[in-house]
Amino acid sequence: RNRFLSGRIDFNPQTNTKLKMSEYPLPSDLDSIIDLALTEDIGDGDITSLLIPADRSVKAHIICKENAILCGTPWVSAVYKKIDNSIRIEWHFEEGTSVEVGDSVASITGQARTILTGERTALNFLQTLSGTATIVREYLIALEGTNTKLLDTRKTLPGLREAQKYAVRVAGGTNHRRGLYDAYLIKENHIKSCGSISKALKEARRLMPDKFLEIEVRNIDEFKEALSLKPNMIMLDNFQLSDMEKAVAINSGTVKLEVSGGIDLDSLANIARTGVDYISIGALTKHCRAIDYSLLLT
């Protein structure tokens, strides 16, 4: 099932045009998240590194131990800049490109003490964000030949939301809303609390008419009620394929349609072929498996 086992996977120019770095700017919380990570790991000092002579200079390599999409290089560079600005890092692959087992993705030169002090924090970011980017690319491959876009969700690792959403963009995916503040997403419990789909949508428009408005529906009847009020997007939650097709036909391009719930690689292409605009998958960020990298001194 892992499509990265057979070889190097790159962007398909017809479906996922490779972005320039300026098109996925770094998260604004990068520095603060790194500070937190360094504090929890180093505390009041790395006692093991004191075993090494202070003037010992070394060269190290970061080695990839499985096929993956490289992501998180700015976090690695920033970790070492904070610990020791004299450390030099040379990246051998660009952010967002595929790497294979045995590839040296970076060379690091500097004092042995500080290189080893930053090793775990740097690799934690690289492994986690590469894991996110890798699974996103795998899902995008399954969507090739369709017009459906892949969305992430708010199901991110605590403290790493902006970092993981960055990784989604780097891999070619699309970000959904960032949090509870930038767009409406009216779900089942909101609807119950408001009294009905219509009441919830009308109140949302009254309170903040300029905010992007999306609502979740569970069946065709609810879909028709939501569609009559023309929100920006309707989420079809756990719909069967036949009902997705009905919704697409009824909608006829009136609003954007998103599908969510119980989606995996096996079902992805069939869902996309119904003609929905977006598929959102929490597993992209929630279930990501860290990619195995090692830092080795030479």
Side-chain angles (χ1 to χ4, degrees), residues 29-46 75-76 78-80 82-83 116-126 128-129 158-160 163:
D29 65 355
L30 184 148
D31 281 340
S32 61
I33 292 298
I34 288 176
D35 287 340
L36 180 63
L38 288 173
T39 298
E40 71 180 3
D41 199 37
I42 299 174
D44 58 3
D46 174 6
W75 279 259
V76 175
V79 164
Y80 279 114
K82 283 180 177 289
I83 294 175
L116 295 179
T117 293
E119 174 187 0
R120 184 70 270 145
T121 300
L123 290 185
N124 281 348
F125 283 115
L126 191 68
T128 300
L129 299 185
L160 290 180

Side-chain angles (χ1 to χ4, degrees), residues 154 176-187 190 194 199-216 231-235 258:
R154 288 167 47 236
H176 208 304
R177 62 175 182 160
R178 310 195 98 67
L180 297 173
Y181 54 89
D182 57 339
Y184 283 111
L185 179 43
I186 303 171
K187 298 176 76 69
H190 300 107
C194 291
K199 287 180 180 179
L201 287 171
K202 289 175 181 177
E203 182 65 5
R205 286 295 191 213
R206 185 189 71 82
L207 289 173
M208 295 186 179
D210 296 329
K211 287 290 187 183
F212 187 90
L213 177 55
E214 180 176 6
I215 189 163
E216 173 188 271
N232 299 105
M233 186 146 70
I234 298 176
M235 178 192 290
E258 172 189 345

Side-chain angles (χ1 to χ4, degrees), residues 34 63 76 86 96 126 140 146 148 171 182 225 234 265 268 277 283:
I34 288 176
I63 307 297
V76 175
S86 68
L126 191 68
L140 285 171
T146 76
T148 303
D182 57 339
E225 181 182 357
I234 298 176
L265 276 171
L268 197 65
D277 301 287

Side-chain angles (χ1 to χ4, degrees), residues 30-290:
L30 184 148
D31 281 340
S32 61
I33 292 298
I34 288 176
D35 287 340
L36 180 63
L38 288 173
T39 298
E40 71 180 3
D41 199 37
I42 299 174
D44 58 3
D46 174 6
I47 60 175
T48 311
S49 70
L50 297 177
L51 303 175
I52 304 169
D55 60 352
R56 173 91 23 106
S57 295
V58 296
K59 187 172 185 177
H61 294 275
I62 297 177
I63 307 297
C64 187
K65 302 178 76 173
E66 57 184 304
N67 294 357
I69 299 300
L70 179 67
C71 185
T73 61
W75 279 259
V76 175
S77 297
V79 164
Y80 279 114
K81 183 176 182 180
K82 283 180 177 289
I83 294 175
D84 181 353
N85 197 38
S86 68
I87 288 176
R88 295 291 175 260
I89 302 179
E90 178 186 357
W91 291 101
H92 304 150
F93 294 86
E94 292 183 8
E95 186 88 331
T97 57
S98 60
V99 292
E100 296 179 340
V101 175
D103 281 341
S104 171
V105 300
S107 300
I108 307 175
T109 306
Q111 298 300 312
R113 281 188 178 184
T114 48
I115 288 176
L116 295 179
T117 293
E119 174 187 0
R120 184 70 270 145
T121 300
L123 290 185
N124 281 348
F125 283 115
L126 191 68
Q127 290 172 332
T128 300
L129 299 185
S130 292
T132 299
T134 299
I135 192 172
V136 169
R137 187 69 59 79
E138 188 170 5
Y139 273 78
L140 285 171
I141 290 170
L143 282 175
E144 286 182 350
T146 76
N147 294 319
T148 303
K149 293 185 178 181
L150 183 67
L151 290 177
D152 57 20
T153 71
R154 288 167 47 236
K155 297 176 182 177
T156 53
L157 300 177
L160 290 180
R161 177 165 299 173
E162 290 299 325
Q164 285 192 286
K165 282 185 172 287
Y166 163 91
V168 169
R169 298 194 303 275
V170 165
T174 302
N175 292 150
H176 208 304
R177 62 175 182 160
R178 310 195 98 67
L180 297 173
Y181 54 89
D182 57 339
Y184 283 111
L185 179 43
I186 303 171
K187 298 176 76 69
E188 180 182 359
N189 287 329
H190 300 107
I191 294 168
K192 286 181 179 179
S193 299
C194 291
S196 71
I197 287 173
S198 297
K199 287 180 180 179
L201 287 171
K202 289 175 181 177
E203 182 65 5
R205 286 295 191 213
R206 185 189 71 82
L207 289 173
M208 295 186 179
D210 296 329
K211 287 290 187 183
F212 187 90
L213 177 55
E214 180 176 6
I215 189 163
E216 173 188 271
V217 299
R218 298 168 297 171
N219 54 56
I220 290 295
D221 288 338
E222 289 186 353
F223 172 74
K224 290 179 179 178
E225 181 182 357
L227 184 62
S228 68
L229 292 167
K230 296 184 180 179
N232 299 105
M233 186 146 70
I234 298 176
M235 178 192 290
L236 311 178
D237 184 44
N238 286 297
F239 270 44
Q240 297 297 315
L241 281 175
S242 58
D243 285 335
M244 293 179 201
E245 291 170 346
K246 289 178 184 177
V248 170
I250 294 168
N251 179 53
S252 190
T254 303
V255 303
K256 296 296 184 182
L257 299 184
E258 172 189 345
V259 170
S260 182
I263 302 166
D264 58 22
L265 276 171
D266 293 330
S267 60
L268 197 65
N270 286 335
I271 292 172
R273 280 192 283 269
T274 66
V276 295
D277 301 287
Y278 298 99
I279 297 175
S280 61
I281 300 176
L284 299 179
T285 51
K286 183 179 65 170
H287 295 161
C288 75
R289 180 183 60 81

